[in-house]
Amino acid sequence: VRDGALSQLFKFVDCNREDHPVTLSFDSVDSHVSIHILPAEIIVEIVHLCIQSPRPLQDLIRLALVCRRWRMITEGTAFLWGTIDAAAPSGLVRKALRMVKDAPLDLTFNEATAKMNQEDFFKSIGEKVTLWRSLVVHLESRSGDFALSDLETTTPPNLEILHLVLEYRAWDSRDTMDLFGGNSISSRLKELSLACIPIRLASLRFGGLKFLTLVAIPAISSSDIITVLVESPLLETVQLQELDPLIVPIVLSRGLASMVHPDDEAIQLASLSHLSLKYLDVPFLNFLFSTIAVPQLRSLCIICEEQDIPIEQLLSVGMRHLTPILPRITSDTPTFTITISYFGYYQIRIGGLDLTFYLDNPVMDHFQDTLNWISNHLGRALQDIPLYLHLDSLLPDPTYLQLLTDRTTVTKLTLRCDPYYGPDGAKNIIPFLSRPMPSPSTEWLVPHAEILDTNIVNEHGNPDIVDMIEKRNSADVGLDGGGTVTPRPFREIWLAYGGKWNPDRRRPNIAFLREVQGVARGAVVYWEQGKWTGSGDNGLEDGN
């Protein structure tokens, strides 16, 4: 009802002006409501819903044109003017600041979309700093100096949300500054997001903080982060990324003893449900793991780069508070996903656990150690959870497939080859799926795979795919005479063009797709996300 009403409302607003009767039709309830007889509070609610958009002030002006009564209501309701984006024309921003009176202000300045220049915008909103409720600033260059310098001297506002984002690192420790003259802002702050901004966190207060994101903050220290965590017992989501170097000297570790819980020497974050730690130094990761207790954690994301440290040392050191919750955050997942890439990384996602490692050296040993670590902490066998396996531009070494055949149950197999940066030989992995492994194994690789998804196809198709599907489907499902598990027939086959960009070559190769369909034993075949039927102009369902 709401979406239909709002759509009709803007249609009528564009067609009707002063004193012309406008009627809204709510088809789902089969009734008609005249705008002119709606109570004022209903009109305010309708208008408020309509301006929850990227252009709130522009939409508000449109709604004020419905009729004289609507103009009086919109211009007399101060809070409707409180969402101000510098993407609006400067005259409209100034009008909103007059109309808002003493209502809270939600402010956005995005350098990429702003029509009002920085100096004018921050000077205008600075006159009402005591009304600021949220401030979102997105800067793309060092020209953001003015905006940040202005925030250095501004009176501390009563903010609930503060986002300050610089697109790239352009600062060094000499630029580090205090916000709001070094005075603490209100303890009402609930959401803080800082990226590449050189701010000393001591100028903020965190008692009510629920959402924290810190990305590439220059000159930040381990003690700064621990102080924020200690002072923010209500935290629900934490993301820490590229905060390097974060060294944890022995003196600092001892000094933190008085800051943590006296019973178990852990910072109690009883409400924390999402924790994301990306590209942090391993010593700090281990220190953090040993310092926080998060009994309600639902998701844990870790991304490490260029770390050849054994996985047991990386994840097990200091994990005494996190280890007990790992079975819980992975227990409800119906499937899990593994991605292994030629480009030096692998990712394992299982339930709320997301681990990604970027390595300079070959990743096989590291990957196997990680798989062992996860298996030892899950509380159930990996083979009981269907696996979606994604191999990205890997050279045709069946090592991973053999390992995962032995240790997991792969039900979906995705094979991708990057036409620009991937190795030429990556497409040769298909023949390994066409036959049992040589003695002594004699096993078929990933025999439980029922879904195949691949772009190892050129403009002529790929005869290896046709051969592989035919040979796997011709094997009897179950155990052969030697006790080897033979492959299941595919249920779905997803194919796509994998060569360098050429829109003509992305069109279906009808002869190739007919060959695939001929050996697919009833499997559903897709080309470029469209279902292949073999009929019509291009053989795709609904002309996709």
Side-chain angles (χ1 to χ4, degrees), residues 219-405:
I220 196 170
S221 69
S222 300
S223 58
D224 291 332
I225 296 172
I226 297 302
T227 299
V228 175
L229 298 180
V230 169
E231 294 181 355
S232 309
L234 302 180
L235 276 170
E236 297 176 9
T237 298
V238 172
Q239 176 178 337
L240 306 177
Q241 179 174 332
E242 298 178 62
L243 303 177
D244 57 329
L246 288 171
I247 306 302
V248 186
I250 296 176
V251 174
L252 174 60
S253 300
R254 290 173 179 171
L256 289 170
S258 61
M259 302 171 64
V260 300
H261 195 280
D263 293 334
D264 57 10
E265 296 185 353
I267 300 172
Q268 299 295 319
L269 298 175
S271 300
L272 190 68
S273 57
H274 304 286
L275 177 60
S276 178
L277 307 170
K278 302 179 179 180
Y279 309 108
L280 302 180
D281 288 348
V282 170
F284 179 75
L285 267 180
N286 286 330
F287 175 72
L288 189 64
F289 288 150
S290 66
T291 307
I292 60 174
V294 284
Q296 300 303 317
L297 195 67
R298 292 166 47 199
S299 69
L300 172 63
C301 175
I302 301 173
I303 299 180
C304 286
E305 187 174 30
E306 298 179 359
Q307 301 291 351
D308 294 328
I309 298 172
I311 194 67
E312 283 292 329
Q313 182 178 345
L314 177 64
L315 293 180
S316 293
V317 174
M319 286 284 281
R320 62 191 179 93
H321 297 297
L322 288 174
T323 298
I325 68 172
L326 292 179
R328 177 171 55 78
I329 69 175
T330 59
S331 62
D332 295 331
T333 180
T335 63
F336 75 110
T337 303
I338 292 178
T339 299
I340 307 172
S341 175
Y342 165 80
F343 302 104
Y345 78 90
Y346 67 90
Q347 178 186 44
I348 302 176
R349 300 179 63 182
I350 176 167
L353 181 64
D354 185 345
L355 303 176
T356 302
F357 296 96
Y358 287 85
L359 303 166
D360 286 336
N361 297 325
V363 300
M364 182 62 201
D365 290 342
H366 200 280
F367 170 76
Q368 188 165 354
D369 289 343
T370 303
L371 203 63
N372 291 338
W373 184 88
I374 291 175
S375 181
N376 292 336
H377 290 85
L378 274 189
R380 59 173 170 158
L382 280 176
Q383 287 181 321
D384 294 338
I385 312 171
L387 169 61
Y388 289 0
L389 176 61
H390 185 128
L391 302 182
D392 178 18
S393 301
L394 282 190
L395 289 168
D397 178 354
T399 308
Y400 288 107
L401 289 173
Q402 183 68 64
L403 171 66
L404 292 166
T405 296

Side-chain angles (χ1 to χ4, degrees), residues 7 13 24 58 101 108 176 189 229 236 256 283 328 432 444:
S7 175
V13 167
L24 293 181
Q58 292 92 321
K101 299 178 182 177
T108 299
T176 305
L189 188 64
L229 298 180
E236 297 176 9
L256 289 170
R328 177 171 55 78
F432 284 99
W444 287 80

Side-chain angles (χ1 to χ4, degrees), residues 7 19 28 194 204 231 244 333 395 428 440 446 495 526 531 534:
S7 175
D19 299 327
S28 61
L194 303 175
L204 306 174
E231 294 181 355
D244 57 329
T333 180
L395 289 168
N428 296 326
V446 292
L495 303 170
Y526 297 86
K531 184 177 179 180

Side-chain angles (χ1 to χ4, degrees), residues 457-461 496-509 527-528:
V457 180
N458 59 31
E459 63 271 28
H460 305 296
Y497 173 69
K500 294 183 178 180
W501 172 249
N502 185 325
D504 292 334
R505 293 179 179 178
R506 299 180 75 92
R507 295 172 182 168
N509 182 317
W527 174 258
E528 296 285 357

Side-chain angles (χ1 to χ4, degrees), residues 128-161:
K128 290 184 177 285
V129 67
T130 58
L131 302 179
W132 294 5
R133 178 171 58 190
S134 69
L135 176 64
V136 176
V137 179
H138 193 124
L139 304 172
E140 294 190 325
S141 67
R142 274 303 285 270
S143 63
D145 275 350
F146 175 83
L148 296 177
S149 298
D150 197 56
L151 294 177
E152 279 189 277
T153 57
T154 298
T155 302
N158 294 315
L159 285 172
E160 296 180 14
I161 297 173

